[in-house]
Amino acid sequence: MELDVFLIGSLANEARFKEHNRNFSVIRNVNDFTNLQFFLEVLNEDDIPSDYQKIFKNKFVAGYDDILKNEEWETLMKDTPLYDKEIAFREFAADKLFIFKPYIEENKYGDKQIKISKKSNLRIIKRPEGISDNSVGSLVTIPIYNDYNRYSFEKRLLESKSIGNYDYLEKITTSCLVSGDYLYGEFNDFEKLNDGWHVSPNDVIKKVAIDFEFYKDYSIIEDHAIYMDFEFFREIILEEGLLKNGEIVRLDKTIKLKEISEETYEEFEESEFIFQLLENLKQKKLVFEEKQVINFHTALKTRRLVILGGASGTGKSQLVLNYAESLGLTNKDNNQFKMVPVKPNWKDDSDLIGYLDTINNIYRPSETGLIDILIEAKDNKDKIFMVCFDEMNLAKVEHYFSQFLSVLELYGNERKLSLYSKKLVGRVINGEQYPHEITIHSNVLFVGTINVDETTQTLSDKVLDRSNFIEFNTPTNHINNWANSIKQNIDTKSIKDNRFEKTVVDLYHFDNWSNNNKEIALNILEIETLNQINNTLTKTDFSKGIGFRVLDHINSYMLNLPNSSLSREEAFDLQISQKIIPKIRGTAEELEGILLDDKNGLLNIFDENNSFKVTVSNIKNKIRELSLYGYTY
């Protein structure tokens, strides 16, 4: 049986050969005295398939001189007597390397012998000076992939797609590969799936154009791979070449545009966007308090799920839609906003994202269209995308939304949504369109709206922990404000001339408005307030305390607070009311020390008339629920 792997061998060293109870590495064939049998040691042992490692261990590959198709050897044999043939072959092979495919031969007793396959077109090359005769087992193999052009290859690398059907290795043990003119790396893992090889990068993927011809004294360059000594590869090619001089692989999607005389806007401020958003809402006769809108905008900048809750008709969905319009995501020429209406019969994530039809081997995405917009966002990382789950608590959120609750807490390339098993890659008919997993980058904003009534499900702590929950109450004096908005003549010129009329906010600008640093944004007084709240919450049950996830969310919100009408004190008040108070639920007996204790309860921490109006109001609502129903939810 021939193994589909290329091995590189050198004539076996006599001393090592005899250590294994062998006589000589070159002998006469017992069946044909005119023919020689020789034995090779393998230099690239790591390339031997796992199932055959034991067979090769302490064994040598056998070959016969009748398969040698080498002009130098044939010329040498013309002038060499038959009795000197063994000596001539040793001299000939001393500075040679043999490139071949092995053949496993088994006799009737089950004994296996390793031979050079006669079908493998044995090649003999002069040993490069930089590869010594003591290089047994020390050569590393850098595979060469030529299935795609450079742009397609790098795109597939970055998107974790198959990079080609490389057939000559069962496993790849180096951390790099070659394609075209470049060496790419470093990779943690190479995995061969049904559709070909996939790679897992360390962090970023780098490339460097190594001139391997310059290092031909230290390497063996074949069409399918480059072989070289491990130490040389590590110290020169990897450390000095790729790591020091490599450039990060990025897809260059820069378009050279023709200069035009029309005025263009390259930069705009966050304050301009907020002004335009408020103007858009006013133009559509939608009544929102300015601070309420800024609160929503700030929460979205934290890149976590933002949930708008409240009674039906308070404008939650309209705020989301107008926010997307102000970002320029709803223009007819793009597909960067998706409203996903949640249905009461949803039971698991297949209702939201779809499922794999195992009978027909095809992925069937949900009719929501969510997967398509996530794939679009993955392929256009420079654009902002927004998804709104409308009335998301009509069904049990932690059931159909389970994957997202885990994914959205991760960072960077770790945020991957699984569609089906990795083992099925290559077998799914539309696998190119719907890969087994989708990376969700920071260019996707997620919002949910919920109604609080008898038709909906309550949100669990798991959902509240992983979101920023904003409760929409009817604005103060809303009837008069509504009436005035109908009568008021809107100055449409200010909107028509505004740059946001014709601009789509991209990730570059949105990131300029955001602060994604890990620094501490809370001051001493705010931290002390959180300590007091935590001490009160944990008096009877330690599990009710403020967790690290909640602290991270509050800190991120405060880092992203824009210069606006929303003061720092008001923002901190909103965060307590949005991240902590909603989780205070239970019976009057459970919450007696937290809500009903006049001296040591939560109300004693806050100054209603100064900085915590929203928090105090929400706590009083909780107390009112306890007195009416005996529990709060």
Side-chain angles (χ1 to χ4, degrees):
M1 179 182 62
E2 182 185 83
L3 304 184
D4 196 14
V5 58
F6 283 103
L7 297 180
I8 297 179
S10 62
L11 187 63
N13 178 277
E14 293 291 351
R16 287 193 292 268
F17 197 68
K18 290 180 179 179
E19 285 177 5
H20 297 285
N21 299 318
R22 302 295 185 97
N23 294 322
F24 301 102
S25 59
V26 182
I27 59 175
R28 298 290 179 132
N29 188 349
V30 294
N31 297 320
D32 182 359
F33 194 71
T34 63
N35 198 8
L36 292 181
Q37 184 179 28
F38 58 91
F39 294 90
L40 304 178
E41 296 179 280
V42 178
L43 276 60
N44 55 327
E45 289 180 348
D46 286 342
D47 293 344
I48 298 169
S50 303
D51 292 343
Y52 299 95
Q53 287 282 352
K54 289 184 178 179
I55 301 175
F56 277 81
K57 190 174 181 62
N58 299 331
K59 290 196 176 183
F60 300 85
V61 180
Y64 299 90
D65 73 330
D66 60 355
I67 65 173
L68 302 182
K69 307 299 182 186
N70 181 270
E71 186 176 343
E72 181 184 347
W73 172 247
E74 291 172 355
T75 302
L76 185 62
M77 284 297 94
K78 290 179 182 179
D79 302 321
T80 302
L82 186 60
Y83 55 83
D84 285 337
K85 196 174 183 180
E86 293 163 85
I87 298 173
F89 185 82
R90 286 194 182 92
E91 292 176 354
F92 165 76
D95 63 345
K96 301 294 191 303
L97 294 178
F98 298 77
I99 303 174
F100 62 94
K101 286 186 177 181
Y103 181 84
I104 309 298
E105 184 177 84
E106 185 174 354
N107 63 25
K108 62 181 180 181
Y109 303 107
D111 296 327
K112 294 182 176 65
Q113 186 177 17
I114 310 161
K115 295 184 176 182
I116 298 173
S117 173
K118 294 182 179 180
K119 300 178 183 179
S120 67
N121 295 322
L122 170 68
R123 291 184 61 243
I124 303 173
I125 64 171
K126 188 174 178 60
R127 181 199 297 268
E129 294 178 4
I131 298 177
S132 72
D133 57 1
N134 291 319
S135 297
V136 174
S138 69
L139 293 192
V140 297
T141 304
I142 310 172
I144 298 175
Y145 287 84
N146 290 315
D147 289 13
Y148 299 97
N149 63 43
R150 191 173 82 193
Y151 178 83
S152 298
F153 181 78
E154 292 180 359
K155 187 172 188 289
R156 298 180 79 84
L157 274 181
L158 295 171
E159 294 176 353
S160 299
K161 290 183 178 179
S162 164
I163 57 173
N165 289 302
Y166 191 86
D167 296 325
Y168 306 117
L169 292 174
E170 176 199 67
K171 60 185 184 301
I172 297 174
T173 56
T174 186
S175 60
C176 301
L177 59 85
V178 169
S179 181
D181 296 324
Y182 289 93
L183 175 82
Y184 294 86
E186 281 191 279
F187 302 106
N188 280 331
D189 185 38
F190 291 79
E191 185 175 15
K192 192 170 187 179
L193 301 176
N194 297 302
D195 64 340
W197 288 87
H198 294 247
V199 298
S200 300
N202 277 355
D203 183 14
V204 297
I205 301 173
K206 285 188 172 185
K207 67 178 180 180
V208 63
I210 298 287
D211 184 0
F212 283 103
E213 282 294 328
F214 182 79
Y215 298 106
K216 61 184 179 181
D217 286 342
Y218 297 90
S219 58
I220 303 162
I221 303 174
E222 296 289 295
D223 292 337
H224 64 281
I226 298 171
Y227 303 88
M228 60 177 55
D229 181 78
F230 172 75
E231 288 297 321
F232 184 84
F233 163 76
R234 181 177 59 82
E235 295 178 7
I236 304 299
I237 303 301
L238 182 59
E239 294 181 3
E240 293 296 326
L242 184 71
L243 299 184
K244 285 190 178 180
N245 296 293
E247 60 177 300
I248 295 175
V249 175
R250 295 186 179 92
L251 292 182
D252 185 4
K253 294 186 177 181
T254 304
I255 302 298
K256 181 64 177 177
L257 300 178
K258 183 179 179 180
E259 293 186 6
I260 54 177
S261 58
E262 295 179 11
E263 184 179 9
T264 58
Y265 297 97
E266 296 182 356
E267 298 289 342
F268 40 83
E269 299 295 329
E270 183 177 21
S271 57
E272 294 180 68
F273 169 74
I274 294 174
F275 170 79
Q276 179 65 19
L277 173 60
L278 294 170
E279 287 294 308
N280 285 349
L281 293 170
K282 190 188 300 181
Q283 185 188 35
K284 295 182 179 179
K285 314 297 187 294
L286 297 171
V287 181
F288 291 97
E289 292 179 357
E290 181 177 335
K291 294 176 182 180
Q292 196 176 43
V293 175
I294 294 170
N295 178 28
F296 173 65
H297 169 65
T298 307
L300 267 180
K301 288 199 296 176
T302 66
R303 299 301 212 284
R304 294 179 175 87
L305 174 66
V306 178
I307 298 178
L308 304 180
S312 179
T314 50
K316 301 181 294 295
S317 300
Q318 283 299 317
L319 175 59
V320 177
L321 178 59
N322 278 272
Y323 189 89
E325 287 180 355
S326 298
L327 286 174
L329 309 184
T330 59
N331 298 342
K332 62 180 180 180
D333 296 330
N334 56 32
N335 181 33
Q336 294 172 240
F337 174 72
K338 189 70 181 178
M339 184 73 76
V340 179
V342 175
K343 296 183 179 180
N345 62 341
W346 285 3
K347 301 297 183 184
D348 55 46
D349 60 5
S350 65
D351 295 308
L352 178 62
I353 64 176
Y355 67 96
L356 180 66
D357 179 348
T358 55
I359 296 176
N360 298 298
N361 279 343
I362 190 169
Y363 187 79
R364 302 195 182 278
S366 168
E367 62 184 12
T368 61
L370 175 61
I371 291 302
D372 293 308
I373 195 171
L374 292 180
I375 292 175
E376 186 79 12
K378 176 181 69 69
D379 294 338
N380 295 274
K381 298 176 187 175
D382 57 329
K383 296 180 180 180
I384 287 285
F385 290 79
M386 190 171 183
V387 178
C388 177
F389 304 99
D390 198 30
E391 298 195 54
M392 71 183 303
N393 65 330
L394 282 178
K396 205 74 173 173
V397 179
E398 56 268 36
H399 290 174
Y400 74 85
F401 207 65
S402 58
Q403 267 209 81
F404 278 90
L405 290 176
S406 300
V407 167
L408 295 182
E409 278 302 298
L410 303 175
Y411 295 93
N413 292 329
E414 295 178 351
R415 303 203 327 169
K416 293 181 179 180
L417 185 70
S418 176
L419 302 189
Y420 51 87
S421 172
K422 192 175 183 179
K423 295 179 180 178
L424 298 174
V425 171
R427 298 180 183 175
V428 179
I429 294 173
N430 56 349
E432 281 289 317
Q433 183 180 2
Y434 298 105
H436 77 285
E437 63 183 13
I438 301 172
T439 302
I440 302 176
H441 298 286
S442 61
N443 63 331
V444 186
L445 308 177
F446 292 96
V447 186
T449 68
I450 68 170
N451 289 331
V452 182
D453 56 37
E454 68 281 356
T455 68
T456 59
Q457 307 280 344
T458 57
L459 298 180
S460 67
D461 284 355
K462 182 178 181 180
V463 178
L464 292 172
D465 251 359
R466 290 160 172 78
S467 63
N468 218 311
F469 178 70
I470 301 175
E471 189 168 1
F472 262 44
N473 297 313
T474 305
T476 305
N477 201 23
H478 71 286
I479 295 178
N480 289 337
N481 290 338
W482 169 80
N484 290 334
S485 69
I486 298 296
K487 296 175 185 178
Q488 185 178 13
N489 292 320
I490 303 296
D491 182 6
T492 57
K493 186 176 186 303
S494 65
I495 297 175
K496 184 177 180 181
D497 291 344
N498 194 283
R499 68 179 65 178
F500 284 85
E501 178 82 4
K502 51 189 175 183
T503 299
V504 178
V505 177
D506 57 17
L507 185 63
Y508 169 78
H509 290 96
F510 198 85
D511 275 344
N512 278 348
W513 303 342
S514 306
N515 188 340
N516 298 315
N517 295 330
K518 303 299 181 185
E519 63 198 61
I520 298 296
L522 300 173
N523 59 41
I524 295 175
L525 291 176
E526 291 162 348
I527 292 174
E528 180 55 34
T529 300
L530 291 173
N531 271 319
Q532 292 180 45
I533 297 172
N534 185 70
N535 291 338
T536 302
L537 293 176
T538 56
K539 280 191 300 186
T540 56
D541 186 351
F542 189 77
S543 65
K544 293 184 181 295
I546 302 172
F548 290 112
R549 183 182 288 113
V550 172
L551 290 173
D552 286 338
H553 286 200
I554 294 174
N555 188 67
S556 179
Y557 181 96
M558 299 304 289
L559 277 171
N560 281 282
L561 190 64
N563 294 323
S564 63
S565 60
L566 187 64
S567 69
R568 184 179 183 87
E569 290 75 18
E570 291 170 321
F572 188 59
D573 177 25
L574 288 170
Q575 277 300 280
I576 293 174
S577 66
Q578 291 167 192
K579 293 297 303 177
I580 299 174
I581 305 304
K583 292 176 61 181
I584 301 176
R585 297 183 290 199
T587 64
E589 183 179 21
E590 290 173 315
L591 300 176
E592 182 177 2
I594 296 173
L595 297 180
L596 303 179
D597 188 335
D598 293 335
K599 293 183 179 180
N600 301 307
L602 278 181
L603 276 179
N604 292 280
I605 298 173
F606 307 107
D607 180 359
E608 178 182 6
N609 298 318
N610 186 12
S611 304
F612 298 98
K613 293 181 180 180
V614 179
T615 298
V616 169
S617 175
N618 287 349
I619 292 174
K620 287 183 176 180
N621 285 337
K622 295 280 185 183
I623 295 173
R624 189 178 303 111
E625 288 174 2
L626 285 179
S627 64
L628 288 174
Y629 311 117
Y631 63 89
T632 182
Y633 55 89

